[in-house]
């Protein structure tokens, strides 16, 4: 675990040593804030909650998270540091986990910086802060899921643009598979797939968190989703590290 | 006492191309092996397999008795490795980078600070300890890579071109450093410089087209011809290797 934390710590410091962190956080805050207030009718709704905010988060993350993950392994390859990292006495899964945790912590920081919205609703009304917390938890889990997908795909290609586009596409697949468009289409043709698509969907799971429901099944879903992609990541790194 | 580095019939194929072909040798404590060969001969690939980065197609290697394929993490604990080109994280400071390597290697607190300070002292990096690595000259970057490999005082050192890009003074310093450490360790360095082999190595292994073509002391090697350059050329030129090894003058495929 010590090695994992050492890797994670270096990675996280790396985000803040370059403009990546600041650009990401500023863009994230501007977009999440403006979408919530304009498209989300934050004031006109007359409700003291963050429902519109949590509605936009997964779609924002869909594009912003792959922007973080695309360089995760590709950059190590470009600099040759992957050779240094993987010849230190750590197992590959430790390097994979360390990188993932750093990226996740970074997303958590970005999410935490949206606290002015939370203050706003507490000033304006009397919100159920449990539901808000739940929403944040759900958002963080979605970020983790997208990160795990993006990190694995970044290990598969040297090209950062390809890593970005693939990550957005695969994340979109999981985000959209529960939407009525997809499930209606599938249930009319292959009914069996509709149920599978819905149960794989990230957005359905997130809906529960937005309503303030933390279901053990949802937690298991996210945990196994992330674990699966981290496993894929480890396998890909092992197979392609020296290419 | 068993050798600290044992390489057993190591082979690496990339598709139809065989980069390293059935290479075996071992290195005991106190030996400094110069790994010589033209570009593309398989030096770096052999070293990467030794460091557990490239998975061999066949054969294996052991570091201090630990198999790099079966117990990779245990084997790597005994190893200080300088990869080709001495890659480092450019945005980190020298002290930050060495601290990271020390933490991954399990050091903490006072031991970590002591290790980092010691590694910087050995490679004379104290003056630039808080500079980002990307702002350093090529020679300093190489020394940061070297400091990283020496940090935990490993019994086995594998250095891929440790003096590449250094000026003559720095080269001499690094060679002196290697010579000073030699009695305690098993060291393998790869190089293009024949004078380096004469200066620091107790043994020279010449590899061409993935095969070991000579394994003897630098003095024995030099005694084969008018000078080392000529011997090296005769051993490694494609014509000499492609022909029947027995036909090329002075070519020996088995160590004496």
């Amino acid at each position: 675990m010590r090695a994992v934390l050492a890797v994670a710590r270096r990675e996280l410091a790396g985000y803040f040593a370059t403009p990546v962190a600041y650009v990401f956080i500023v863009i994230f805050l501007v977009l999440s804030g403006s979408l919530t207030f304009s498209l989300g009718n934050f004031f006109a709704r007359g409700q003291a909650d963050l429902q519109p905010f949590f509605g936009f988060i997964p779609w924002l993350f869909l594009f912003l998270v792959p922007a973080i993950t695309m360089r995760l392994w590709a950059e190590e390859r470009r600099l040759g540091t992957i050779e240094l990292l993987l010849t230190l006495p750590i197992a590959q899964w430790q390097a994979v986990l360390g990188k993932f945790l750093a990226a996740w912590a970074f997303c958590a920081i970005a999410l935490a910086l949206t606290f002015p919205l939370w203050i706003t609703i507490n000033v304006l009304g009397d919100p159920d802060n449990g539901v808000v917390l739940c929403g944040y938890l759900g958002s963080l889990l979605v970020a983790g899921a997208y990160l795990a997908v993006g990190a694995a795909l970044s290990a598969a290609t040297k090209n950062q643009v390809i890593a970005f586009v693939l990550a957005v596409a695969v994340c979109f697949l999981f985000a959209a598979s529960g939407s009525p468009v997809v499930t209606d289409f599938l249930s009319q043709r292959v009914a069996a797939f509709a149920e599978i698509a819905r149960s794989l969907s990230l957005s359905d799971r997130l809906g529960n968190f937005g309503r303030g429901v933390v279901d053990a099944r949802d937690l298991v879903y996210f945990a196994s989703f992330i674990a699966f992609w981290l496993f894929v990541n480890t396998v890909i790194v092992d197979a392609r590290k020296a290419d | 006492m068993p050798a600290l580095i044992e390489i057993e019939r190591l082979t690496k194929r990339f598709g139809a191309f065989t980069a390293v072909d059935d290479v075996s040798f071992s290195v005991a404590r106190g030996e400094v092996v110069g790994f010589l060969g033209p570009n593309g001969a398989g030096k770096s690939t052999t070293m990467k397999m030794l460091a557990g980065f490239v998975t061999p197609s066949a054969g294996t290697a052991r570091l201090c008795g630990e198999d790099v394929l079966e117990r990779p993490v245990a084997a790597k604990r005994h190893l200080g490795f300088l990869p080709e080109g001495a890659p480092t994280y450019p945005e980190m400071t020298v002290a930050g980078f060495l601290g990271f390597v020390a933490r991954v290697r399990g050091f903490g607190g006072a031991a970590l600070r002591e290790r980092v300070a010691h590694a910087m002292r050995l490679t004379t990096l104290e003056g630039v300890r808080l500079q980002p690595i990307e702002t350093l000259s090529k020679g300093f970057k190489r020394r940061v890579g070297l400091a990283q490999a020496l940090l935990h005082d490993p019994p086995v050192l594998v250095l891929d071109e440790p003096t590449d890009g250094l000026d003559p003074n720095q080269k001499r310093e690094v060679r002196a450093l290697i010579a000073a450490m030699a009695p305690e360790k098993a060291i393998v360095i790869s190089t293009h410089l024949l004078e380096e082999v004469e200066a620091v190595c107790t043994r020279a292994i010449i590899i061409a087209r993935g095969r070991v073509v000579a394994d003897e002391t630098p003095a024995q090697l030099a005694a084969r011809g008018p000078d080392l350059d000529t011997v090296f050329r005769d051993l490694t030129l494609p014509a000499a290797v492609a022909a029947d090894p027995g036909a090329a003058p002075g070519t020996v495929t088995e160590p004496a």
Side-chain angles (χ1 to χ4, degrees):
Chain A
M1 205 58 210
R2 200 169 177 164
V4 173
L5 290 180
V7 172
R9 184 174 155 177
R10 195 213 71 75
E11 280 284 320
L12 193 58
Y15 290 127
F16 290 96
T18 57
V20 172
Y22 304 102
V23 170
F24 179 91
I25 287 176
V26 168
I27 297 294
F28 172 70
L29 293 179
V30 167
L31 285 179
S32 64
S34 57
L35 284 174
T36 305
F37 281 96
S38 59
L39 284 177
N41 290 323
F42 186 69
F43 289 126
R45 289 173 77 239
Q47 285 183 28
D49 64 19
L50 289 179
Q51 220 47 263
F53 170 72
F54 290 128
F56 288 122
I57 287 286
W59 301 106
L60 265 181
F61 275 160
L62 181 59
F63 290 97
L64 290 178
V65 164
I68 301 181
T69 57
M70 68 180 195
R71 50 168 286 286
L72 220 57
W73 290 100
E75 185 82 350
E76 296 265 0
R77 272 174 208 269
R78 194 177 63 80
L79 293 170
T81 44
I82 188 167
E83 192 172 344
L84 180 92
L85 182 67
L86 296 181
T87 52
L88 289 171
I90 54 172
Q92 262 130 33
W93 67 264
Q94 290 176 308
V96 167
L97 187 60
K99 276 178 170 288
F100 169 75
L101 287 179
W104 209 10
F106 179 68
C107 285
I109 292 169
L111 266 177
L113 287 174
T114 60
F115 71 92
L117 284 174
W118 173 73
I119 293 176
T120 309
I121 57 166
N122 272 282
V123 169
L124 292 178
D126 185 20
D128 184 344
N129 281 318
V131 175
V132 173
L133 203 65
C134 231
Y136 272 111
L137 176 67
S139 305
L140 192 59
L141 288 171
V142 167
Y146 288 170
L147 281 172
V149 171
L153 293 171
S154 149
T157 170
K158 273 180 204 175
N159 188 310
Q160 303 203 6
V161 177
I162 293 176
F164 176 81
V165 173
L166 280 181
V168 172
V170 174
C171 290
F172 179 75
L173 223 59
F174 282 103
S177 64
S179 75
V181 184
V182 177
T183 47
D184 287 354
F185 172 84
L186 282 175
S187 54
Q188 281 162 20
R189 288 167 177 80
V190 255
F193 284 161
E195 202 44 50
I196 294 172
R198 194 176 294 121
S199 54
L200 279 177
S201 159
L202 283 166
S203 36
D204 267 22
R205 307 277 169 180
L206 193 64
N208 293 341
F209 285 97
R211 286 190 294 275
V213 182
V214 180
D215 189 333
R217 276 174 303 183
D218 295 334
L219 292 177
V220 168
Y221 167 81
F222 276 108
S224 43
F225 187 92
I226 290 170
F228 170 76
W229 283 100
L230 289 183
F231 173 72
V232 170
N233 194 343
T234 310
V235 171
I236 293 176
V237 166
D238 192 41
R240 302 190 46 116
K241 58 189 173 184
D243 287 3
Chain B
M1 190 192 70
L4 294 185
I5 304 174
E6 296 162 275
I7 292 183
E8 221 170 74
R9 313 205 61 175
L10 217 46
T11 301
K12 181 65 188 179
R13 283 182 287 270
F14 296 103
F17 172 68
T18 305
V20 176
D21 191 1
D22 201 12
V23 167
S24 300
F25 61 87
S26 56
V27 185
R29 189 185 299 273
E31 278 193 296
V32 181
V33 170
F35 209 38
L36 286 160
N39 284 333
K43 296 191 299 285
S44 287
T45 307
T46 305
M47 290 180 133
K48 283 175 185 176
M49 286 193 279
L50 194 50
F53 184 63
V54 168
T55 311
S57 310
T60 190
R62 279 183 295 276
L63 302 174
C64 295
E66 302 280 9
D67 193 295
V68 295
L69 295 176
E70 281 161 20
R71 292 171 50 82
V73 176
K76 286 172 195 170
R77 273 190 228 289
H78 300 298
L79 170 75
F81 179 52
L82 174 70
E84 188 180 18
T88 46
Y89 295 101
E91 78 282 355
M92 297 183 91
T93 64
V94 173
F97 174 70
L98 294 176
F100 158 68
V101 174
R103 258 189 299 279
V104 172
R105 289 198 175 274
F107 296 106
L112 181 140
R113 281 190 296 278
E114 201 274 319
R115 287 286 170 180
V116 170
H118 182 64
M120 287 196 289
R121 204 159 48 241
L122 281 177
T123 48
T124 47
L125 284 168
E126 292 108 324
V128 295
R129 58 188 302 274
L130 294 180
Q131 273 194 41
I133 294 171
E134 61 194 341
T135 66
L136 298 175
S137 69
K138 201 175 170 191
F140 270 113
K141 283 181 186 158
R142 181 79 30 163
R143 274 142 72 188
V144 174
L146 208 54
Q148 161 276 125
L150 302 175
L151 186 108
H152 53 299
D153 195 21
V156 176
L157 268 181
V158 177
L159 309 174
D160 201 344
E161 303 190 346
T163 60
D164 188 43
L166 301 186
D167 68 36
N169 293 335
Q170 294 167 334
K171 276 185 183 153
R172 202 159 46 238
E173 280 171 32
V174 169
R175 284 172 197 163
L177 179 64
I178 291 171
M181 293 185 302
E184 301 299 314
K185 300 184 193 303
I187 304 177
V188 178
I189 62 171
S190 79
T191 179
H192 294 296
L193 305 169
L194 297 171
E195 92 241 19
E196 191 153 288
V197 176
E198 287 184 298
V200 293
C201 298
T202 59
R203 196 170 134 202
I205 293 177
I206 298 184
I207 182 169
R209 295 189 159 190
R211 287 181 158 272
V212 173
V213 293
D215 181 353
E216 50 200 61
T217 66
Q220 285 171 328
L221 207 57
R224 286 189 187 195
D227 55 60
L228 262 183
D229 275 341
T230 318
V231 174
F232 181 77
R233 197 187 58 217
D234 287 348
L235 284 173
T236 58
L237 268 188
V241 177
D244 177 9
T251 303
V252 178
T253 42
E254 287 298 313

